[in-house]
Amino acid sequence: MTIPAAAPAHVSWPTHTAVLTRRILVHWKQRPVSIAVTLLFPVLIVVMFGQLFGGAMAIRDGAYIDFLIPGMLAMTMLFGLESTVLAVTSDASKGVTERIRAMPVSGLAVLTGRCLADLISAVAGLVVMMGAGLALGWRPQQMSVLGAVGLLLWLRFAFVWVGIYLGLLLKTPESAVSVQVLVWPVGFLSGVFVSPDTMPAWLSAVATWNPLTATASAVRELSGNPAWAANGWAAEHSVLLAMAWPALLTAIFLPLATRRYRLLGR
């Protein structure tokens, strides 16, 4: 990897960001099997829940697959948190992070390079998941799907910064396993697979206010797919919450990640 050290100050950040993003994409190109597994794993979850359990799920005004796919699109954004944490900790454990820090490159470019690469990965994941959903019978009923995709990528953007911070905090790939374990409860304790109103009251409250539920519900609304039957402010303002939750997470974790990167090695 060559960093253009002599770039003028006003162009160094975008130039360095582009170089670092390309570095990550080149590494992914060298691991096609790993990338394929990452992209296809959410599809396996859809097949399991949609085809094995879908017949037992009663959804108001539609088929379960139309309820499930918007939720799994949001879940795919959450699964990306694991790959971000693992990538950051792997770079740290191999000394890549320290080598980059020794170069005349903006720390913000290092972080935004990771963010941009992970968003490109998220777009690929959405394309694969939507294709699988259409093949399994999912049918969006409205033309607001692009708005739904925007909300999904907005959620992924927030999770990228959560992942970068946790990766810088944990430092080793072995410690990243703890994040992988926690992703599943967060994903299942939401409105992705079932309606929160089927849960005990305290679980229902947690699931209703889960950021994943907000985005999944907003995607269902924007794509015209059946939603879970519930009353209350969160259910009636899912699109607003789907914009607000990622904004809050980004406002918290982007500064934390930037500060953590600056403090590395001190």
Side-chain angles (χ1 to χ4, degrees):
M1 177 182 64
T2 302
I3 300 294
H10 67 283
V11 298
S12 60
W13 173 73
T15 302
H16 293 170
T17 297
V19 171
L20 292 165
T21 301
R22 181 178 179 276
R23 165 192 166 264
I24 296 170
L25 297 179
V26 168
H27 283 191
W28 287 347
K29 185 179 178 180
Q30 297 169 351
R31 299 185 291 111
V33 175
S34 175
I35 298 303
V37 170
T38 300
L39 292 176
L40 293 177
F41 178 71
V43 177
L44 175 62
I45 301 297
V46 166
V47 172
M48 289 175 57
F49 278 85
Q51 303 301 307
L52 295 180
F53 308 127
M57 301 291 188
I59 299 296
R60 180 190 63 177
D61 301 328
Y64 181 64
I65 194 67
D66 289 326
F67 176 89
L68 176 64
I69 294 299
M72 276 307 303
L73 290 171
M75 181 73 102
T76 301
M77 301 299 96
L78 177 64
F79 284 158
L81 175 64
E82 304 176 41
S83 60
T84 299
V85 174
L86 187 59
V88 174
T89 55
S90 294
D91 278 352
S93 66
K94 295 174 182 177
V96 175
T97 302
E98 285 304 314
R99 288 198 296 273
I100 294 176
R101 281 173 54 80
M103 298 178 181
V105 56
S106 164
L108 183 59
V110 177
L111 302 183
T112 52
R114 165 58 57 187
C115 181
L116 182 57
D118 283 6
L119 285 177
I120 292 172
S121 174
V123 171
L126 287 178
V127 170
V128 172
M129 178 56 67
M130 287 183 169
L134 291 171
L136 292 170
W138 172 57
R139 295 294 181 266
Q141 301 300 317
Q142 296 178 183
M143 295 303 294
S144 302
V145 175
L146 288 179
V149 170
L151 289 178
L152 289 163
L153 292 177
W154 179 223
L155 180 66
R156 179 70 181 106
F157 179 81
F159 282 149
V160 166
W161 290 106
V162 176
I164 290 174
Y165 174 69
L166 292 177
L168 294 172
L169 190 67
L170 297 172
K171 295 184 179 179
T172 65
E174 292 77 16
S175 60
V177 173
S178 59
V179 175
Q180 295 175 324
V181 172
L182 291 174
V183 160
W184 288 95
V186 172
F188 279 93
L189 190 53
S190 68
V192 167
F193 298 104
V194 297
S195 169
D197 66 357
T198 64
M199 306 173 188
W202 69 274
L203 280 179
S204 176
V206 174
T208 297
W209 290 96
N210 187 328
L212 211 60
T213 299
T215 298
S217 299
V219 173
R220 291 180 183 121
E221 179 179 337
L222 292 174
S223 59
N225 289 138
W228 44 276
N231 297 315
W233 193 92
E236 296 169 359
H237 299 84
S238 59
V239 174
L240 178 60
L241 276 179
M243 293 187 289
W245 269 121
L248 177 61
L249 291 172
T250 302
I252 294 172
F253 286 97
L254 192 157
L256 285 176
T258 303
R259 182 175 183 274
R260 183 67 186 175
Y261 184 82
R262 289 174 179 169
L263 292 177
L264 287 178
R266 295 187 182 180

